[in-house]
Amino acid sequence: MRADTKFTRSTGRGTRRRAVPMIRTVSLPVLVSGTVLAMAGTIGLWQILPGQITPTVGAGHGRGMSQVGAFDNARAGWTAEEILGHYYPGADLGQIGPTTINVRLQAQDDATLDTFAAAGAQVAGRMIGPGDAAHLTPLPDGGANVVVTAGCDGEVLWQAATDDPFVYPVGAGAGRPADEHLTLCGGTGYRGALGVALEGESFRTVNQVDVDDYLAGVLPAEMQANWADQGAFEALRAQAIAARSYALAESRYAYAQTCDTTDCQAYPGTVKEDSRSTEAVAATTGTVLLRDGQILRSEYSAAPDGGRPADIQTFEVGPAPGDLVESVPAPVVPVLPAQPDLTIEALAGESVIDTEYRRIGGANSSVGEPIGPEMLLPQRAGTYRLYTNGVIVATQTLGAQVVDFSTLLQLVPDVGDQLPATASGRPTLKMPEGTVPQVVSPGDPQSLQFPSDAEVRGEPVHGPVNPAVPGVPGEGSHGPVDVPGVHDGE
């Protein structure tokens, strides 16, 4: 039985009321998490008419909106507002402004962030070229170590430390074109920015993204976009509002509100985006469900029996719309003045190896001329560059230091075929006036302290370590992508 009731609509600028056709509902017990739903002897399977809904598994916990029920109700002529009013009785509709959320990408746990964009990107206050990749490792101070390479596995162009541990697209704002999306090396693409964080000692990757750009990836992973062709576009609109509310009410981590798996809501990035579900997101922009003025964590599932109205008092709530931090554009990279002979090196900036090479005298120093580009050390522990008479190695822990070829071979055994004919002996540096080289021992003032394997990898080292110098004491070196409606680990 339908009845016209008052449906409160709140915004960040105040509260107004309007009459919206809603469903009169009777309170029913909410289903508990882990309920097993069986049909025709099959656990967790459901099927509507052939061609309407693809059979799937994982009916979910049964709390809140049933996606199957939303499909049926939409085909029966219900609006999204009526569907939501049925499943979340007592909830209000609210309005938010443009908002950014942080999403933990769980498949990237304990890995460095390696990403690029076809149109180029911004990182550490600099622009990187089309296809150039930024490799970010989180640092304890909240920043990141950045290494930029030509492509995902090419030569090192430059490296730096930054207090802003994110890679940004070249253009600011939501709805950017595909060539500006950041793509994981060997993986999928994401709208918005990608960054890194530490959780204890574990690496985490974070997608900082406009909430509607996020929903463009969530919606077709949670509900079939082709329902729009089957008279159920209003079900997609209802799903968009429920999913937006769920995400904004989340507060799971210090570095991210929500995650990208069925522990939260399925979010595979841009790979499943569909114009029909994106249209449903756009048709509901800014709309959220509220309870007592706060955003409702509106759970939902694929309950095959159509589900039941929920007791929204049992759901958690998040911030009020006015407490959300609105989206901010990506940092603006300063535009360098035009110079006719500006080189790639000048645009990229001087690396720490270049700085050290210049400090010791450049081509006039005993290391000689460079004979190749900067290259990555194993496990991206740092970089090195070969010269005719020696090597300069740079790590986050040690900075840049000169080593001999034998030390490099201990670190990068496969580099042997790249060494020049002069690859024997140790270079003697010409130190600038007024500087004193670090000595291995008081009795050998001409010998420099070279890093061990552990030092180059950034590991703590106790006691004197110099394996390259003989005779020196030291130690040895809410629904899955294919399974709609399962949330909170159900």
Side-chain angles (χ1 to χ4, degrees), residues 137-146 160-166 196-201 203 396:
T137 304
L139 298 174
D141 62 2
N145 188 44
V146 180
T162 177
D163 58 4
D164 181 6
F166 278 87
V196 293
L198 281 176
E199 185 173 21
E201 297 183 354
F203 293 4
Q396 183 64 31

Side-chain angles (χ1 to χ4, degrees), residues 173-198:
R176 305 305 303 175
D179 65 346
E180 295 185 17
H181 299 170
L182 296 175
T183 301
L184 298 176
C185 290
T188 188
Y190 290 87
R191 296 179 181 271
L194 292 172
V196 293
L198 281 176

Side-chain angles (χ1 to χ4, degrees), residues 469-485:
V469 181
V472 177
E475 299 180 16
S477 27
H478 277 306
V481 175
D482 295 316
V483 187

Side-chain angles (χ1 to χ4, degrees), residues 91 172 224 272 295 337 375 416 433 439 447 449 457 462:
Q224 292 174 220
K272 296 192 75 171
I295 300 175
M375 302 295 289
E433 292 185 10
V439 297
S447 299
Q449 175 73 57
R457 290 194 298 269
H462 306 284

Side-chain angles (χ1 to χ4, degrees), residues 1-3 5 22-31 78 82 84-90 307-312:
M1 177 71 68
R2 298 191 184 186
T5 62
M22 297 296 293
I23 306 301
R24 188 183 304 278
T25 62
V26 178
S27 297
L28 294 173
V30 66
L31 296 180
W78 292 18
E82 289 176 310
L84 295 171
H86 172 68
Y87 285 109
Y88 307 103
R308 303 178 182 182
D311 178 1
I312 64 170

Side-chain angles (χ1 to χ4, degrees), residues 203-253:
F203 293 4
R204 298 290 182 256
T205 297
V206 179
N207 183 201
Q208 187 178 89
V209 59
D210 176 86
V211 69
D212 280 7
D213 279 355
Y214 161 75
L215 291 172
V218 168
L219 216 64
E222 290 286 358
M223 182 176 280
Q224 292 174 220
N226 65 8
W227 285 8
D229 304 328
Q230 300 170 38
F233 181 71
E234 291 299 306
L236 287 167
R237 288 186 64 241
Q239 176 70 68
I241 296 171
R244 182 182 293 111
S245 305
Y246 184 96
L248 293 176
E250 288 261 84
S251 181
R252 292 190 178 237
Y253 319 102

